[in-house]
Amino acid sequence: MQANGAGQDQDRDSELSCRNGAQNGESSSSGDAAAAGDAHSNGLLSVTNNNNNNGVPVQPGSNNSGNPAEASPGLKKKKRLSQSEEDVIRLIGQHLHDLGLNQTVDLLMQESGCRLEHPSATKFRNHVMEGEWDKAESDLNELKALMHSPSAIVRMKFLLLQQKYLEYLEDGKVLEALQVLRAELTPLKYNTERIHILSGYLMCSHAEDLRVKAEWEGKGTTSRTKLLDRLQTYLPPSVMLPPRRLQTLLKQAVELQRDRCLYHNTKLDGGLDSVSLLLDHACSRKQFPCYTQQILTEHCNEVWFCKFSNDGTKLATGSKDTTVIVWQVDPETQQLKLMKTLEGHAYGVSYLAWSPDDMYLIACGPDDCSELWLWNVQTGELRTKMSQSHEDSLTSVAWNPDGKRFVTGGQRGQFYQCDLDGNLLDSWEGVRVQCLWCLNDGRTVLASDTHQRIRGYNFEDLTDRNIVQEDHPIMSFTVSKNGRLALLNVATQGVHLWDLQDRVLVRKYQGVTQGFYTIHSCFGGHNEDFIASGSEDHKVYIWHRRSELPIAELTGHTRTVNCVSWNPVLPGLLASASDDGTVRIWGPAPFLDVQDADGLTECCSMDS
């Protein structure tokens, strides 16, 4: 990372960087001869120890060996600090200053021969923090010559006068505030819209009312510190460092390491207190959902689909055995127990969709099924059993975000929009639907069809457009929460990631075996950074979204894995449904000291 202000050699060499006469912390010969009680130029007393140092500070120029023959400063050569070394010293100095260790800062600057900031900036800072607005305004004339954009002075002056105006108002000095507004702010002819807003604050009845309407902290250190942070943005970093610059750089480093971490699957903490800066960030694969926590065996035939509810508290599984089983997720133990069994789906259940509020669950069957079932999950009652025609094939369904409508269709050319009672609201003729999805705008429905494409359909203005075109049949697809990315399972090709906004193929994920069976993949993990898919080779594959090669292959199923679902609330919980009649629940390894978690093959890193 490159610190701000690097490359401004002219400013630094002239007056902003290390002082030439300081000799990088070396004392003059007369200073070395001075008594131990003599003071440094910054007012700090130096301390010497003739026997040993043992952590006690020594005079600049003294020698840690304690040998007088080696203590002569004349034997030392001044080391000229590089640009990056100067930057680091200033960053450390700023951080120490923010911690209140001002004497340490003075000593650091004296020994290094550097300045924390330009003297004019220091004076300006002090005047702002003390509320001496006339002096601060005068300081701007000195700073103007040091700025890359002198026109920014007007903006800085405006910010100063605005603070001055608000403080007068808070103190009840309405006439003084009005004078600032009329005689100082208005003549600047800058941001007249803001001036109109400021004039409205004259009507505030009391100080609290002013603070609320102005969204201002009030007179004092907090508001003045925020003001100083804004003013600094107009000054070169060689004159005044950006606020908390060292913390900013450290946060960027931590975020970059987390971003590159192959198995990072927890919420990003914006602060530094939750991490150690002494070690690089690294998540263990044993913290990742690669270990079989539970095997659900209640289905008595092939399990074709599984889906966690939107709130993550339930899992629904559909099977060839004509049943849907709803499982309750214990958020503490992350164990699942049978909650309800929904029966009567004569053709089996090949697709499930939770309503946005998780109150209802819609079940669809395979190609020869002309019905869909809309269940009330809480009561276990069938609200609607819908069929428009015995010739229909209703194999896919998607909820509108409003939770009051859904779309359904199949490969025989049916494409309907219905209400919760199964009443037909709209229909689109001649579209052979393989899979459906409703976007967050509430108007656009995405549908993959038999022409190896995904098209967007608008039921309001009856328009449609092509979005994705593949060269092979799209067996299924799902869309990310933000509606930007689509994950496709493509016959004989595997898993493809598309950007729906730019309409481009982003990535082809390797490893999975995909023929002409319908396999459902999913986004998952924190921030949907991961992708999981079933496979015809009996495995579950997991990729980091930015890596084409799998980071884990989960073994345990004995036949094709038809569907995977990642818990949207518990990022360490993953479910997979298989033709072997079981549903496996995957989670982190139970014992983090186990060398290799059962059922896990670790693959390449993201950078390979």
Side-chain angles (χ1 to χ4, degrees):
M1 288 164 290
Q2 189 175 15
N4 281 0
Q8 297 171 4
D9 296 329
Q10 183 176 358
D11 284 341
R12 292 182 181 274
D13 290 343
S14 60
E15 57 181 336
L16 306 181
S17 62
C18 292
R19 298 190 294 271
N20 292 333
Q23 297 297 314
N24 282 317
E26 297 173 16
S27 302
S28 65
S29 56
S30 61
D32 285 324
D38 285 353
H40 286 300
S41 60
N42 61 357
L44 290 181
L45 292 177
S46 65
V47 181
T48 57
N49 188 320
N50 292 329
N51 298 318
N52 60 70
N53 292 325
N54 292 329
V56 179
V58 297
Q59 284 193 32
S62 65
N63 190 289
N64 286 343
S65 67
N67 187 344
E70 297 177 5
S72 172
L75 299 178
K76 281 184 162 186
K77 283 188 176 181
K78 173 190 173 184
K79 178 190 174 186
R80 181 174 178 80
L81 296 178
S82 68
Q83 181 70 60
S84 61
E85 288 171 333
E86 289 182 25
D87 290 343
V88 170
I89 288 173
R90 293 182 66 209
L91 292 173
I92 293 172
Q94 183 194 45
H95 185 65
L96 294 174
H97 174 76
D98 292 343
L99 294 176
L101 304 176
N102 295 324
Q103 291 184 345
T104 306
V105 175
D106 291 343
L107 186 57
L108 174 63
M109 294 302 126
Q110 181 190 8
E111 291 195 21
S112 65
C114 292
R115 282 199 179 107
L116 185 58
E117 58 188 13
H118 193 278
S120 297
T122 302
K123 187 166 58 170
F124 179 64
R125 177 193 301 277
N126 293 336
H127 288 155
V128 169
M129 293 306 296
E130 292 164 10
E132 298 183 2
W133 306 117
D134 292 340
K135 292 181 179 179
E137 192 175 338
S138 178
D139 295 336
L140 289 179
N141 295 325
E142 296 180 31
L143 293 171
K144 185 174 182 178
L146 304 173
M147 296 172 62
H148 299 310
S149 175
S151 62
I153 288 290
V154 175
R155 282 168 254 168
M156 295 178 72
K157 189 173 181 180
F158 185 91
L159 293 173
L160 280 176
L161 293 173
Q162 177 180 255
Q163 178 80 10
K164 179 181 178 181
Y165 168 78
L166 291 173
E167 291 194 8
Y168 273 146
L169 277 183
E170 188 183 44
D171 290 340
K173 299 178 180 179
V174 179
L175 292 178
E176 289 87 341
L178 191 59
Q179 178 67 14
V180 172
L181 188 67
R182 289 178 174 175
E184 298 183 68
L185 276 167
T186 304
L188 290 177
K189 297 180 180 179
Y190 174 77
N191 202 347
T192 53
E193 183 179 344
R194 177 62 179 167
I195 289 176
H196 290 313
I197 294 173
L198 291 173
S199 64
Y201 298 152
L202 288 165
M203 307 303 295
C204 292
S205 56
H206 49 80
E208 183 60 32
D209 187 30
L210 170 67
R211 289 191 288 268
V212 171
K213 288 183 177 177
E215 298 180 354
W216 178 61
E217 295 79 6
K219 179 180 179 179
T221 303
T222 303
S223 65
R224 290 174 183 174
T225 300
K226 285 190 174 183
L227 169 64
L228 203 55
D229 289 350
R230 291 186 66 186
L231 291 168
Q232 186 281 325
T233 60
Y234 298 104
L235 295 171
S238 54
V239 175
M240 181 186 286
L241 283 172
R244 297 167 293 280
R245 182 60 183 160
L246 182 60
Q247 291 98 315
T248 299
L249 292 174
L250 291 174
K251 285 180 183 178
Q252 290 173 355
V254 169
E255 288 170 4
L256 182 63
Q257 288 185 16
R258 284 171 168 170
D259 206 35
R260 291 181 174 177
C261 178
L262 211 57
Y263 296 106
H264 189 77
N265 191 28
T266 56
K267 185 178 180 180
L268 292 175
D269 188 342
L272 295 175
D273 293 337
S274 61
V275 299
S276 171
L277 300 177
L278 307 181
L279 294 171
D280 285 350
H281 173 86
C283 292
S284 166
R285 65 178 184 175
K286 298 177 182 66
Q287 300 168 272
F288 204 69
C290 299
Y291 182 87
T292 300
Q293 287 191 337
Q294 200 174 355
I295 303 175
L296 309 178
T297 58
E298 276 70 7
H299 284 293
C300 55
N301 209 325
E302 297 172 358
V303 187
W304 287 339
F305 201 83
C306 62
K307 185 71 174 177
F308 280 106
S309 60
N310 298 295
D311 63 7
T313 62
K314 293 177 281 292
L315 174 73
T317 56
S319 170
K320 187 178 180 181
D321 67 6
T322 74
T323 68
V324 173
I325 298 180
V326 180
W327 310 83
Q328 187 73 43
V329 180
D330 187 320
E332 299 297 327
T333 64
Q334 299 193 6
Q335 292 288 301
L336 279 71
K337 62 180 181 180
L338 195 150
M339 176 181 164
K340 281 187 174 63
T341 299
L342 310 175
E343 300 176 334
H345 310 85
Y347 295 90
V349 179
S350 62
Y351 197 85
L352 295 163
W354 291 91
S355 63
D357 60 3
D358 294 326
M359 181 177 293
Y360 298 106
L361 182 69
I362 296 180
C364 297
D367 288 345
D368 49 357
C369 179
S370 62
E371 301 171 323
L372 64 76
W373 293 259
L374 194 157
W375 295 91
N376 184 313
V377 179
Q378 299 301 321
T379 64
E381 297 175 353
L382 181 64
R383 170 162 177 168
T384 305
K385 183 178 180 182
M386 190 197 98
S387 177
Q388 294 296 324
S389 166
H390 291 295
E391 297 181 357
D392 283 354
S393 172
L394 302 181
T395 57
S396 185
V397 67
W399 284 89
N400 189 286
D402 64 11
K404 300 175 181 178
R405 296 168 289 163
F406 61 86
V407 290
T408 182
Q411 292 198 12
R412 296 178 184 172
Q414 296 77 37
F415 189 9
Y416 305 130
Q417 182 170 226
C418 308
D419 63 17
L420 297 188
D421 296 318
N423 299 315
L424 187 64
L425 302 177
D426 296 289
S427 65
W428 211 292
E429 300 296 329
V431 181
R432 298 179 181 273
V433 173
Q434 178 72 23
C435 192
L436 292 165
W437 194 274
C438 288
L439 292 184
N440 295 330
D441 62 9
R443 299 186 304 273
T444 307
V445 178
L446 302 183
S448 60
D449 57 29
T450 53
H451 297 285
Q452 306 168 3
R453 65 190 180 183
I454 295 177
R455 292 179 66 81
Y457 297 86
N458 189 317
F459 276 95
E460 291 183 2
D461 57 17
L462 300 180
T463 59
D464 61 309
R465 59 194 177 97
N466 206 45
I467 297 177
V468 169
Q469 182 66 61
E470 283 279 1
D471 296 327
H472 299 81
I474 301 170
M475 307 306 294
S476 69
F477 75 93
T478 186
V479 178
S480 60
K481 289 180 182 178
N482 62 11
R484 178 70 185 263
L485 301 173
L487 195 61
L488 284 60
N489 282 74
V490 184
T492 72
Q493 302 301 300
V495 181
H496 291 179
L497 182 69
W498 280 79
D499 186 315
L500 296 177
Q501 182 173 312
D502 296 338
R503 303 186 194 182
V504 294
L505 176 62
V506 177
R507 197 161 284 112
K508 296 181 179 180
Y509 296 101
Q510 302 179 26
V512 67
T513 302
Q514 168 87 58
F516 287 91
Y517 287 109
T518 298
I519 292 176
H520 299 272
S521 56
C522 70
F523 293 97
H526 180 69
N527 202 34
E528 295 192 323
D529 282 335
F530 302 97
I531 284 167
S533 179
S535 177
E536 293 180 21
D537 63 4
H538 314 165
K539 297 179 183 179
V540 174
Y541 286 84
I542 300 178
W543 300 265
H544 196 286
R545 202 168 67 191
R546 296 188 304 275
S547 176
E548 294 181 358
L549 299 175
I551 63 172
E553 299 173 13
L554 280 52
T555 59
H557 286 294
T558 57
R559 292 184 64 189
T560 294
V561 181
N562 298 306
C563 183
V564 291
S565 180
W566 213 305
N567 192 296
V569 177
L570 303 171
L573 204 59
L574 178 70
S576 58
S578 170
D579 281 348
D580 64 13
T582 69
V583 176
R584 282 187 176 245
I585 307 300
W586 308 86
F591 305 106
L592 294 181
D593 57 345
V594 175
Q595 291 298 313
D596 288 295
D598 179 36
L600 168 66
T601 303
E602 185 177 22
C603 299
C604 57
S605 71
M606 201 186 310
D607 296 329
S608 59

